[in-house]
Amino acid sequence: MRSMQTPQSPEHPAVPDATAPDRDWAAASADPRYRAAVIDLLGALAYGELAAFERLAEDAKLAPGLADKAALARMASAEFQHFEQVSEHLASIAEEPVAAMEPFVAPLDEFHRLTAPSDWLEGLVKAYVGDAIAADFYREIASRLDADTRGLVLRVLDDTGHASFAVEKVRAAIEADPRVGGRLALWARRLMGEALSQAQRVVADRDALSTMLVGGVADGFDLAEIGRMFSRITEAHTKRMGALGLSA
């Protein structure tokens, strides 16, 4: 497995800046390295949304009541609509959605295998923490994309309502039984570690995507900036844990 710390080399030159105000997809994608990086990004995003749909639909079975089951079903439907948006966009730029997603099936499925929730509350925390970390990662990258791709990514990251739903239910559970808080805090820390590890592996294993990050589609985005990016994601996670009533 390639290390994320691989230095830039002649074999992995910097990707030209695609974030200038006048750069749209048609102009930016003329560079094959940039196009390949975006296809990777959208493939990962599409499969992430499809997996989120499947997970929420499955978690609905654990819901303690009909109202909660219906709420999760609505959120699952929203995730599937996001998946379709990305798939349709891939098709519109002459890319096969299934082929774009395929490289990310194994790492994302492995993450979900390692972090299968044992009950309703763990499922809520997982969706809240895992989805938020993924969204933070994509937003960091979106700021370095062409205007058309950036707009799509940000639309797909729109909150489905799960964040406020999870916070409400988890805080109520902790208030009813404070002992729940310790268990869920440990669970959230495990989720954070697994999510960051999988994100780093995906970036390291995909040459086009790692070139975008290390080489930089924005001036000065280098290895040090990747470290700062993950630090910002970690800080945001700590704030979310506070919102849940859990210690990070």
Side-chain angles (χ1 to χ4, degrees), residues 39-108:
I39 299 311
D40 268 356
L41 179 68
L42 295 182
L45 181 58
Y47 190 67
E49 294 297 321
L50 182 59
F53 157 73
E54 292 178 319
R55 188 186 67 243
L56 286 171
E58 192 67 22
D59 287 350
K61 298 177 182 178
L62 301 173
L66 185 57
D68 291 334
K69 186 185 295 288
L72 282 192
R74 282 191 293 271
M75 294 171 202
S77 176
E79 297 287 9
F80 190 76
Q81 290 174 25
H82 289 164
F83 160 72
E84 289 192 312
Q85 288 179 46
V86 183
S87 294
E88 289 169 2
H89 182 80
L90 283 164
S92 75
I93 59 175
E95 292 291 337
E96 169 54 51
V98 171
M101 289 188 291
E102 191 62 39
F104 307 100
V105 171
L108 284 173

Side-chain angles (χ1 to χ4, degrees), residues 44-45 48-49 51-52 55-56 59 79 108 111-112 115 117 121-139 157 159 162-163 166 184 187-199 233 236-237 240-241 244:
L45 181 58
E49 294 297 321
R55 188 186 67 243
L56 286 171
D59 287 350
E79 297 287 9
L108 284 173
F111 168 74
H112 289 304
T115 58
L121 290 174
E122 286 190 2
L124 288 179
V125 172
K126 177 181 176 179
Y128 178 71
V129 171
D131 289 354
I133 293 171
D136 285 344
F137 177 71
Y138 288 121
R139 286 192 180 97
L157 295 179
D159 182 24
H162 197 279
L184 294 181
W187 172 242
R189 285 195 284 273
R190 178 182 168 192
L191 291 168
M192 179 65 175
E194 292 290 350
L196 289 181
S197 294
Q198 289 297 336
I233 292 173
H237 167 75
R240 292 190 187 97
M241 289 303 93
L244 280 175

Side-chain angles (χ1 to χ4, degrees), residues 151-181:
L152 170 70
V153 170
L154 294 179
R155 287 194 301 275
V156 168
L157 295 179
D158 281 346
D159 182 24
T160 63
H162 197 279
S164 58
F165 181 83
V167 169
E168 175 188 349
K169 297 298 180 180
V170 171
R171 291 188 72 95
I174 294 173
E175 184 176 346
D177 182 1
R179 294 173 299 178
V180 169

Side-chain angles (χ1 to χ4, degrees), residues 22-31 34-35 89 93 146-149:
D22 60 343
R23 298 282 281 187
D24 59 10
W25 170 250
S29 63
D31 187 297
Y34 179 77
R35 181 184 179 94
H89 182 80
I93 59 175
D146 65 274
D148 295 327
T149 306

